[in-house]
Each structure stands twice: as C-alpha cells, then as structure tokens.
C-alpha cells in the first residue's frame, strides 16, 4: 500500500481528525475518555489562536499530532514555544511519524523566530525521551518542576 503521509497545521476543518487522537493522548496519560470535551477544547484553542496543532495523516487517516503553545520568557524577554502534546496512534507507531511531527514543530519554531522550544515528559515515558534526545533536545539540570492545583476547580 502506497503511503501518502501529509504533515500540516490543522485548522477548524480538521477537528474531526484531531479530536480522537487528542482524546487517546489524554487516556494514555490516565484521563477518562471524553471525546466531546476534547473536541470543544481543541476547537477553542484553534478559534482563539491559543495553540498550533500539527497533524499527520495518511490518505485522510489521522496518524498523530503535536500541539504547541506560544508563550513568553521574562528572563530572555522573548517569545518561546512549548511543545505540550505529542501523540502517535498506536497502529501508526514505528513509521517515523513522531520524528516527522518533531521536525515540523522545529520548522515552525525556527520559521517564527521563537527564542527556544521546550517540552517535558513523564520520567516513565522512555520511548518519548529517546525520540526527544535523538532530535537534539537536552535534559535540563538544576530545574525542579512545581505545580499548584486549585482545589476549587471542577474538571
């Protein structure tokens, strides 16, 4: 079967292709499946220009996505990009899709002159860590990641 892999920035028109992948990504990280909420969440990100979603497809089949969030660094007084989500569908793994998505994220980052592109992953996600390191990412030392959860927030 001939491969027709396309990597492109998703728009509102591709929500039906991205939402199931995004839902599967969340389930991978222990969240409950909620496809309608996933759809609405991504719809709002796209409509509000909050994130950039790069999608991989093969003959209209969704293979994977990467979601990038623009932000700023006070220290460097410059714009930065956060690679928040990377996911490849289980039946599409070992085809280089993750690498292609990482390359597309890097291209977007350089083309739009961000100061740096950062990401984080679970210490247990060794497969992702190997991919990131093979793409030239380095682990930061001397940094501790903290999180404060709002006890009044209902998810």
């Amino acid at each position: 079967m001939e491969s027709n892999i396309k990597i492109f920035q998703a728009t509102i028109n591709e929500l039906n292709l991205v939402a199931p992948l995004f839902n599967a990504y969340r389930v991978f990280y222990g969240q409950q499946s909620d496809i309608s909420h996933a759809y609405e969440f991504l719809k709002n990100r796209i409509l509000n220009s909050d994130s950039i979603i790069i999608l991989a497809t093969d003959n209209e089949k969704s293979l994977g996505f990467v979601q990038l969030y623009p932000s700023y660094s006070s220290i460097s007084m410059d714009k930065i990009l956060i690679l928040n989500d990377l996911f490849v569908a289980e039946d599409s793994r070992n085809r280089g899709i993750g690498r292609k998505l990482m390359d597309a994220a890097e291209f977007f980052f350089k083309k739009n002159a961000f100061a740096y592109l950062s990401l984080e992953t679970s210490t247990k996600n060794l497969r992702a860590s190997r991919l990131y390191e093979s793409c030239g990412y380095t682990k930061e030392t001397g940094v501790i990641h903290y999180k404060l959860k709002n006890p009044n927030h209902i998810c």
Side-chain angles (χ1 to χ4, degrees):
M1 181 166 84
E2 186 173 318
S3 180
N4 189 24
I5 296 173
K6 294 181 182 170
I7 309 285
F8 58 95
Q9 186 172 339
T11 67
I12 201 78
N13 298 324
E14 287 82 32
L15 275 176
N16 287 333
L17 295 172
V18 180
L21 287 172
F22 182 69
N23 189 59
Y25 165 78
R26 293 183 66 256
V27 169
F28 177 82
Y29 278 105
Q31 301 300 305
Q32 291 294 318
S33 179
D34 188 345
I35 191 70
S36 62
H37 193 208
Y39 182 94
E40 286 302 313
F41 179 84
L42 293 177
K43 177 178 151 187
N44 288 327
R45 298 297 66 74
I46 292 171
L47 290 177
N48 295 321
S49 300
D50 291 334
S51 72
I52 296 90
I53 301 170
I54 300 171
L55 179 63
T57 63
D58 187 355
N59 295 316
E60 303 302 319
K61 179 186 177 204
S62 301
L63 306 176
F65 78 98
V66 64
Q67 184 163 212
L68 308 165
Y69 289 99
S71 189
Y72 292 90
S73 167
S74 298
I75 302 298
S76 65
M77 294 187 297
D78 212 341
K79 62 183 185 174
I80 63 170
L81 195 59
I82 301 164
L83 192 158
N84 206 72
D85 314 312
L86 171 69
F87 184 76
V88 176
E90 194 169 339
D91 63 352
S92 298
R93 294 180 185 159
N94 299 313
R95 295 177 55 193
I97 305 302
R99 169 70 69 161
K100 289 178 189 305
L101 288 166
M102 292 297 294
D103 289 347
E106 183 178 345
F107 178 81
F108 182 88
F109 149 74
K110 289 179 178 176
K111 176 183 167 205
N112 292 283
F114 287 91
Y116 61 85
L117 174 58
S118 68
L119 62 86
E120 64 182 51
T121 194
S122 166
T123 55
K124 296 176 183 176
N125 196 343
L126 300 178
R127 184 180 193 146
S129 292
R130 285 191 300 271
L131 172 63
Y132 302 145
E133 290 174 18
S134 75
C135 290
Y137 288 75
T138 56
K139 290 180 185 176
E140 288 194 22
T141 58
V143 176
I144 301 172
H145 181 85
Y146 290 95
K147 184 185 292 185
L148 178 63
K149 292 190 177 188
N150 184 344
N152 301 317
H153 183 75
I154 300 170
C155 294

